[in-house]
Amino acid sequence: MMKIAPSILAADFSKLGDEVRSVESAGADYIHIDVMDGHFVPNITMGPLVVEAVRKVTNIPLDVHLMIENPDKYLQAFADAGADIITVHVEACPHLHRTIQEIRKLGVKPGVVLNPATPASILENIIEDVDMVLLMTVNPGFGGQSFIPGVLSKIKEVRSMIERKGLNVDIELDGGIHAGNAKICMEAGANVFVAGSAIFGKEDRKAAIEEIRSELQ
Ligand code: DX5
Ligand code: ZN
């Protein structure tokens, strides 16, 4: 089942509630929320307060992508704010197994994120414990960047690791995804597609989501 997760990083924050409702009624599967701390990545965005505000206006799952140092410190706050999925970067978690178990203990689905230069092999001893692997297809920090095609071979590697181990783990992609590259990404093995500018950058959200979805057949 292919899923589309609009990233509110590209939304108009002066009317965030309306923006979230616009993609929900246009058929979004998840709302992707990018949390950046100005340390792990160069940009600063939003925290638990925004997750809580989004939670109030939608019932679809909130997919919270933590691009922060020391995420362990904030897991409880994001769980309380209403996150359904929390993904943490392997590059930010020295005790990754502990962090993943902690997310699950909070009743939230855990996922791990790999930056473009981080190899798939790092998943070998953690993939059994997660619900989703998020592969960055840009260097995290900003919306509107170009898709890095070199990640395609990593998508294939992760999909074959999942098959080899007989697991049911989603592969999500994030960064530079649009109708023009969604199909090749799906064929490589991805099934959850984050899109910021390709959805919120367009006036007609329904048309934008349908354009991507029509490629995912
Ligand atoms: C990048 C963020 C992405 C970003 C994607 O660091 O994690 O979720 O919002 O934006 P687009 O789709 O515009 O590349
Ligand atoms: Zn993201």
Side-chain angles (χ1 to χ4, degrees):
M1 159 74 170
M2 300 295 140
K3 293 194 165 80
I4 297 179
S7 165
I8 60 165
L9 189 60
D12 180 344
F13 276 75
S14 69
K15 46 175 188 182
L16 189 55
D18 293 342
E19 292 283 75
V20 170
R21 286 187 208 100
S22 79
V23 291
E24 175 170 17
S25 61
D29 297 291
Y30 297 155
I31 300 295
H32 185 83
I33 303 181
D34 287 309
V35 178
M36 307 187 191
D37 66 351
H39 294 275
F40 180 69
V41 288
N43 200 4
I44 300 178
T45 57
M46 46 204 142
L49 279 177
V50 174
V51 175
E52 202 181 324
V54 173
R55 179 76 293 164
K56 287 187 184 141
V57 300
T58 185
N59 290 317
I60 62 178
L62 304 184
D63 167 28
V64 178
H65 175 194
L66 298 185
M67 287 161 275
I68 62 177
E69 282 179 3
N70 201 359
D72 305 70
K73 214 172 145 184
Y74 303 98
L75 297 176
Q76 179 84 57
F78 284 104
D80 291 348
D84 297 281
I85 304 166
I86 294 179
T87 60
V88 292
H89 274 258
V90 301
E91 303 88 0
C93 297
H95 305 289
L96 184 58
H97 185 270
R98 180 188 293 154
T99 305
I100 293 299
Q101 304 312 316
E102 196 54 45
I103 295 171
R104 210 178 274 293
K105 238 190 273 166
L106 291 167
V108 177
K109 291 182 173 162
V112 280
V113 195
L114 269 54
N115 278 335
T118 302
S121 57
I122 204 163
L123 295 169
E124 197 63 53
N125 298 298
I126 196 66
I127 198 160
E128 288 89 347
D129 298 286
V130 300
D131 287 21
M132 185 157 82
V133 171
L134 168 50
L135 300 176
M136 292 307 302
T137 40
V138 298
N139 288 297
F142 303 94
Q145 303 181 80
S146 302
F147 176 82
I148 300 171
V151 181
L152 283 169
S153 59
K154 185 160 61 176
I155 303 169
K156 291 182 190 148
E157 274 182 78
V158 176
R159 182 51 70 193
S160 44
M161 186 186 291
I162 291 168
E163 277 166 13
R164 168 163 57 81
K165 290 173 180 275
L167 303 170
N168 180 20
V169 174
D170 289 321
I171 299 181
E172 181 178 53
L173 301 184
D174 186 6
I177 300 295
H178 52 77
N181 56 22
K183 194 176 191 70
I184 186 171
C185 291
M186 175 189 73
E187 285 166 353
N191 67 306
V192 184
F193 300 84
V194 176
S197 35
I199 294 174
F200 284 105
K202 302 219 170 113
E203 208 51 59
D204 186 343
R205 304 307 163 52
K206 202 169 172 64
I209 290 178
E210 276 167 10
E211 194 189 358
I212 299 172
R213 210 181 288 284
S214 68
E215 295 295 325
L216 303 174
Q217 309 294 337

